[in-house]
Amino acid sequence: MSMTDILVSPHGAQLTNIFLMDRNSSVMEFFPKGWLKLAGVGQYVFHWIASWSGMRHQGAWRDPNGENCTYSEDDRRCMSIYKNGRIGYNETYFSEWARNVLNEVKTMKLGKSQSNGSASSSNGCMC
């Protein structure tokens, strides 16, 4: 984990490992449909951990499409349907979000390496 530049993951317990990442790393977190409305403050936990650890939380993509719930949108019973649903029905939207975040991180990393003069480091990688 300490060598990870960008961690891409759905929201969940696996993200607790982000505290093992480098301070200049980034986290891309995504959520299933309905999460914003029903999850409460728990949806911000990994954003807070990343911020407190000196990492960048690169956005929280929320799937605008997904499983349909037979109950009203505000009904807590929908949470289990959304939580177990497939993420990424709208592949175009997800791809655009991921591309934008990855380009932002790449630009940030290149800018830091050029300002530090490390672009000509011994490993020869300009990526």
Side-chain angles (χ1 to χ4, degrees):
M1 289 297 288
S2 64
M3 300 294 287
T4 304
D5 280 335
I6 303 171
L7 178 65
V8 181
S9 176
H11 177 82
Q14 69 280 359
L15 284 171
T16 57
N17 292 322
I18 65 174
F19 78 92
L20 299 170
M21 294 171 58
D22 182 63
R23 291 182 57 86
N24 296 316
S25 299
S26 298
V27 178
M28 289 174 64
E29 181 179 13
F30 51 95
F31 300 85
K33 175 184 175 181
W35 204 259
L36 177 64
K37 197 172 215 176
L38 298 172
V41 297
Q43 63 189 306
Y44 302 110
V45 168
F46 301 112
H47 187 122
W48 296 332
I49 293 172
S51 295
W52 294 333
S53 302
M55 289 178 260
R56 295 184 57 162
H57 190 275
Q58 294 292 343
W61 180 78
R62 290 172 173 82
D63 198 343
N65 305 309
E67 303 290 332
N68 290 321
C69 181
T70 56
Y71 309 105
S72 75
E73 253 184 46
D74 297 333
D75 194 313
R76 300 294 293 170
R77 292 176 287 185
C78 289
M79 187 63 156
S80 62
I81 293 170
Y82 294 147
K83 186 175 180 182
N84 295 323
R86 182 181 135 193
I87 298 174
Y89 276 97
N90 187 335
E91 293 176 15
T92 303
Y93 184 79
F94 182 81
S95 298
E96 288 174 14
W97 171 74
R99 183 179 58 248
N100 290 339
V101 171
L102 292 172
N103 284 335
E104 181 182 325
V105 171
K106 179 181 175 183
T107 302
M108 180 188 70
K109 296 265 182 189
L110 286 173
K112 281 185 179 181
S113 70
Q114 290 172 352
S115 67
N116 292 338
S118 62
S120 59
S121 65
S122 60
N123 68 6
C125 180
M126 295 293 289
C127 44

